[in-house]
Amino acid sequence: MSDRAGAGADGTLQRYLHASVTVARDPVAAGVDLVHRARGPLVVYERPGEVAVASGVLAEIVLDRRQVQVRIGEHRHVEPTGDEPLQQVHRLLAGLDVAGWRAYGWIGFELSYLLHGMPEAVGPAPLLHLVVPRREARISNRTAHLRATDPAGLADLSARLSAVPDQPPHHADGRPVDESSGAVEYRAAVASAIRDIRGGDLQKVILSRVVPVPGPVDLVATYRTGRRRNTPARSFLLRIGGVQAAGFSPETVIEVGADGTISTQPLAGTRALSGLDTVDEELRAELLGDPKEIFEHAISVQAAQEELRGVCRDGSVHIEEFLTVQRRGSVQHLASRVTGRLDAGRNCWHAAAALFPAITASGIPKRAACAAIHRYETTPRGLYSGAVVVADSDGGLDAALVLRTVFQQDGRTWLRAGAGIVAQSTPERELEETREKLRSVSPFLVGTDEPVPVAGGEVA
């Protein structure tokens, strides 16, 4: 295979066909209507001002602990995973013979073990899977900008967006989710982590627990229902490479613009939202005055600044927001935003390597926190606390932290939630915080008796 990955049988540059249509519905609803009953790989990704819907596979990149694979059309290329795996991803994306490509996909938490010198902790499962789609809609301001690699695909997108939706309304069916699943083990792990922190091994670690969901859920309907009741920084519906998820991300791991501007949004410090204004204001005041929560947040913001300084121009890193309170579904968080500008010779994937995994999903110092997570959590995280990503050919990157999410894979359905552990933590309060976070998703699950669609799109 050549240095550039040719898409056409004759090696010619692949180009999209374009169209625009007016959309009368809310962009999220329109995006969900577009993937209703769809099979195969797909992504719905919502960020401020845009809902993007991608389906089909024109090209894909899969990274695991041993190798990076890229496939486009009939062309395949495989190379060993090196010391800078995300720079390999950058190079392979840049070499795609696809005009104006945009890649959608996910990064699993276990990539952090490769990035932070713990290869022995990495299992055989894929760590990253990106897809450049055959069909794409970007919906904003009641207009959908459509792209497809063939006229039939473009016409199908246009027709489905213009049609009256045929899907019936869905309501959460109240599937019984045991919020206390694994509670005994979780309290014990938190107590051990507190001892480690007080012994000086680390400052903070985020420990999580898995909560099984009895039976499959309709992820499209769950996403539609849950999005109405959540206030996420990003939301997503994902079906790629055997991984299926619907989530309401409270924060971004990283946002990089085509001009090299970069930001990250650490959220740390939590109180529940009751739905009663007076109670929630009291909890907000309590959150802003709690020394433990403020300490946990402040060290996260400090660490985010240090990570950005490693990839940004001198003097460009600063805090735009500090100790605001953001409402995210069933909870409210202390929130800050740290920004900078990429240094010369650095790209968005350098920044991703510096910031991944999110401090608010791992801990401080990051390597020690990742080691503690590997030690105390009994199952791999996979997509949980990783990222759903959108990468553009102009150098832009947007990565949503995967929390407040329902997962489906290999016939299992589950939720997962964690809490930040510091020296002042108590096992019971951290357990209760995980329950509070689970309620951003658990009330909105829509059960199904139909076969779960196949994700597809794997590199063989």
Side-chain angles (χ1 to χ4, degrees):
M1 184 175 183
S2 65
D3 290 339
R4 297 186 62 79
D10 59 358
T12 57
L13 181 72
Q14 291 289 290
R15 297 186 183 276
Y16 287 102
L17 304 173
H18 296 259
S20 294
V21 298
T22 300
V23 179
R25 304 188 293 285
D26 168 82
V28 173
V32 173
D33 292 340
L34 200 55
V35 300
H36 178 53
R37 296 179 181 170
R39 300 184 69 84
L42 64 86
V43 177
V44 177
Y45 190 82
E46 179 201 8
R47 52 179 158 178
E50 180 186 86
V51 175
V53 183
S55 60
V57 179
L58 177 60
E60 63 183 336
I61 294 175
V62 179
L63 180 152
D64 63 30
R65 67 183 181 186
R66 297 180 295 108
Q67 61 188 19
V68 188
Q69 305 179 67
V70 58
R71 177 173 67 85
I72 180 165
E74 297 301 317
H75 299 267
R76 292 173 181 264
H77 170 75
V78 180
E79 61 186 56
T81 301
D83 293 336
E84 294 186 287
L86 292 184
Q87 284 308 297
Q88 291 179 266
V89 171
H90 166 70
R91 174 173 50 78
L92 292 169
L93 284 171
L96 294 177
D97 280 334
V98 180
W101 57 262
R102 174 182 276 187
Y104 297 81
W106 53 265
I107 303 174
F109 177 82
E110 277 70 30
L111 179 63
S112 62
Y113 299 141
L114 275 189
L115 296 177
H116 296 282
M118 302 169 56
E120 70 283 354
V122 182
L127 305 174
L128 173 148
H129 197 141
L130 299 178
V131 167
V132 176
R134 290 190 175 276
R135 295 170 294 278
E136 182 185 38
R138 304 182 192 182
I139 308 168
S140 59
N141 297 324
R142 304 292 177 175
T143 299
H145 302 281
L146 311 179
R147 306 198 305 177
T149 55
D150 62 289
L154 195 65
D156 180 62
L157 283 175
S158 180
R160 284 194 285 148
L161 277 170
S162 302
V164 176
D166 64 351
Q167 59 179 309
H170 288 280
H171 303 283
D173 65 356
R175 276 190 182 272
V177 175
D178 181 5
E179 291 184 350
S180 296
S181 178
V184 173
E185 295 82 0
Y186 186 74
R187 280 191 293 255
V190 171
S192 295
I194 292 170
R195 288 194 294 271
D196 289 346
I197 292 167
R198 291 175 179 173
D201 293 343
L202 67 168
Q203 287 183 284
K204 173 183 175 179
V205 63
I206 289 77
L207 295 183
S208 67
R209 62 189 179 96
V210 174
V211 175
V213 175
V217 301
D218 183 330
L219 288 180
V220 176
T222 296
Y223 175 72
R224 174 190 282 275
T225 303
R227 179 60 187 86
R228 293 194 189 110
R229 299 293 298 275
N230 271 276
T231 51
R234 302 288 188 271
S235 72
F236 56 85
L237 178 65
L238 175 80
R239 193 163 70 219
I240 291 179
V243 175
Q244 304 183 61
F248 315 105
S249 172
E251 64 185 275
T252 54
V253 181
I254 186 173
E255 302 164 47
V256 182
D259 61 354
T261 56
I262 179 172
S263 73
T264 185
Q265 184 191 33
L267 271 62
T270 305
R271 285 294 185 275
L273 285 171
S274 69
L276 301 173
D277 289 343
T278 55
V279 173
D280 290 340
E281 282 301 312
E282 289 175 0
L283 290 169
R284 180 180 186 276
E286 180 182 302
L287 176 60
L288 285 166
D290 188 318
K292 179 262 181 186
E293 305 288 1
I294 292 173
F295 171 76
E296 179 187 345
H297 185 83
I299 61 173
S300 299
V301 174
Q302 181 184 37
Q305 290 182 85
E306 292 171 356
E307 290 178 343
L308 279 186
R309 288 191 185 105
V311 294
C312 288
R313 298 178 187 175
D314 289 345
S316 71
V317 176
H318 64 279
I319 300 172
E320 280 194 0
E321 305 165 4
F322 185 64
L323 280 180
T324 63
V325 176
Q326 295 286 345
R327 295 187 172 208
R328 296 289 189 248
S330 58
V331 294
Q332 50 190 325
H333 294 291
L334 295 177
S336 296
R337 182 174 292 277
V338 185
T339 64
R341 184 172 289 273
L342 281 175
D343 202 355
R346 299 284 187 167
N347 57 58
C348 65
W349 294 101
H350 286 114
L355 290 167
F356 191 87
I359 289 165
T360 50
S362 53
I364 304 168
K366 193 169 281 186
R367 189 185 190 284
C370 288
I373 289 166
H374 182 65
R375 185 163 63 250
Y376 290 125
E377 295 188 356
T378 57
T379 58
R381 288 188 171 188
L383 183 56
Y384 173 77
S385 72
V388 173
V389 299
V390 177
D392 281 297
S393 58
D394 64 7
L397 180 69
D398 200 87
L401 177 58
V402 180
L403 305 175
R404 322 297 148 78
T405 295
V406 54
F407 305 91
Q408 209 153 249
Q409 188 172 6
D410 298 330
R412 299 185 303 118
T413 305
W414 70 96
L415 307 175
R416 193 160 185 161
I421 316 302
V422 294
Q424 302 96 320
S425 292
T426 64
E428 196 56 49
R429 170 56 202 153
E430 304 306 339
L431 175 64
E432 180 58 29
E433 184 174 313
T434 65
R435 293 192 183 103
E436 293 166 356
K437 292 172 177 175
L438 289 168
R439 293 165 196 155
S440 289
V441 182
S442 60
F444 313 117
L445 301 175
V446 178
T448 181
D449 295 325
E450 298 180 2
V452 175
V454 177
E458 295 89 344
V459 171

